[in-house]
């Protein structure tokens, strides 16, 4: 969950932030599938879900102040006409229109808009594992620092972490404080280094903050690309 566990809202700023949110415009997120296969994009708490064939784009408007948000790709999905079904990776309670977070393994684009000092915070997280390569980039407001995780993690995944359609984070597999720690002497492990070596921009374990959280001014628009390499 990365950025959301490390941010603090100071009480004396609350009124000012609420005033700011009411005068801020929605951010535009363009979600594009550049993979040679179909994915079923998911976005919560705003957006729900959308099938994206190769080359297709889905645009969503995200209200100012949205936080604890994530976008991901689901793979191996089969939905009926009512939007009920199942996905091999990233499934969200069998719904095309996601209302909850997905089931690991799934690569995550996470963000929180108009937070402390009116900054957007964004990251790519592998704390829930990896299924589809992705890029996450600002597209406006003079913010140019994009991030990516496009390595062949599925193909190189350690045997202990392999899963159908993806590569699990060790926390999902072992469920111990060594891999799932959120406080105290929380540090990298041999498995988290596997992810970090291949995707230096991405969160590899829950307290991997310093090199994995990025910011842009509030009001920035973004692009998330599922980018097969």
């Amino acid at each position: 969950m990365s950025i959301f566990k490390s941010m603090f809202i100071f009480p004396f700023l609350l009124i000012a932030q609420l005033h700011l949110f009411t005068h801020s415009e929605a951010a535009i997120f363009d979600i594009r599938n550049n993979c040679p296969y179909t994915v079923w994009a998911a976005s919560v708490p705003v957006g729900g879900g959308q099938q994206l064939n190769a080359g297709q784009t889905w645009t969503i408007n995200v209200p100012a102040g949205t936080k604890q948000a994530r976008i991901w790709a689901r793979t191996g999905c089969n939905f009926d006409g009512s939007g009920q079904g199942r996905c091999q990776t990233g499934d969200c309670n069998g719904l095309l229109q996601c209302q909850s977070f997905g089931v690991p393994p799934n690569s995550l684009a996470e963000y929180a808009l108009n937070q402390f000092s009116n900054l957007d915070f964004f990251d790519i997280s592998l704390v829930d594992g990896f299924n589809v390569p992705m890029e996450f980039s600002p597209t406006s407001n003079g913010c140019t620092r994009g991030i990516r995780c496009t390595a062949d993690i599925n193909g190189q995944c350690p045997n202990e972490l392999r899963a159908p359609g993806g590569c699990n984070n060790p926390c999902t597999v072992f469920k111990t404080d060594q891999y799932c720690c959120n406080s105290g002497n929380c540090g990298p492990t041999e498995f988290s280094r596997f992810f970090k070596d291949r995707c230096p921009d991405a969160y590899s374990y829950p307290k991997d903050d310093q090199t994995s959280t990025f910011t842009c001014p509030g009001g920035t628009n973004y692009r998330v690309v599922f980018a097969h390499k």
Side-chain angles (χ1 to χ4, degrees):
M1 292 294 292
S2 54
I3 59 176
F4 313 124
K5 293 182 178 178
S6 59
M7 292 189 302
F8 300 89
I9 298 178
F10 295 95
F12 64 86
L13 290 175
L14 184 56
I15 294 176
Q17 286 182 328
L18 290 174
H19 178 77
L20 171 67
F21 296 162
T22 62
H23 290 80
S24 299
E25 297 181 358
I28 298 171
F29 279 69
D30 290 322
I31 304 168
R32 181 175 177 84
N33 179 24
N34 276 356
C35 299
Y37 48 83
T38 298
V39 302
W40 287 259
S43 176
V44 292
V46 179
Q50 177 75 39
Q51 178 177 326
L52 293 179
N53 298 325
Q56 288 187 324
T57 298
W58 175 36
T59 298
I60 59 175
N61 294 321
V62 181
T66 297
K67 57 185 178 180
Q68 295 185 341
R70 56 176 59 177
I71 295 168
W72 71 97
R74 293 168 287 174
T75 61
C77 300
N78 191 346
F79 294 104
D80 62 22
S82 66
Q84 303 279 337
R86 186 176 181 84
C87 298
Q88 184 181 49
T89 66
D91 187 74
C92 54
N93 291 328
L95 299 176
L96 173 61
Q97 297 297 327
C98 288
Q99 301 173 12
S100 61
F101 294 160
V103 176
N106 52 336
S107 324
L108 301 173
E110 298 182 315
Y111 64 91
L113 304 181
N114 310 97
Q115 299 299 302
F116 180 62
S117 295
N118 192 34
L119 290 174
D120 296 346
F121 293 79
F122 67 102
D123 69 75
I124 291 175
S125 175
L126 305 182
V127 174
D128 280 358
F130 179 98
N131 65 337
V132 174
M134 67 164 49
E135 301 174 359
F136 190 2
S137 303
T139 59
S140 70
N141 225 7
C143 199
T144 60
R145 174 63 162 98
I147 54 179
R148 64 174 56 197
C149 179
T150 56
D152 183 22
I153 286 180
N154 288 342
Q156 300 170 12
C157 186
N159 289 334
E160 299 94 327
L161 305 182
R162 289 188 179 274
C167 184
N168 278 316
N169 187 274
C171 179
T172 303
V173 175
F174 302 112
K175 298 180 175 63
T176 62
D177 289 342
Q178 179 182 2
Y179 301 107
C180 306
C181 58
N182 288 293
S183 61
N185 295 322
C186 180
T189 66
E190 71 277 15
F191 287 127
S192 74
R193 291 188 184 96
F194 163 79
F195 292 104
K196 198 68 175 178
D197 288 346
R198 287 156 181 80
C199 291
D201 288 342
Y203 270 89
S204 60
Y205 69 97
K207 294 297 289 183
D208 182 16
D209 291 283
Q210 292 184 346
T211 60
S212 305
T213 302
F214 300 85
T215 61
C216 282
T220 300
N221 298 323
Y222 296 90
R223 178 187 298 117
V224 176
V225 180
F226 305 123
H228 181 79
K229 296 293 185 181

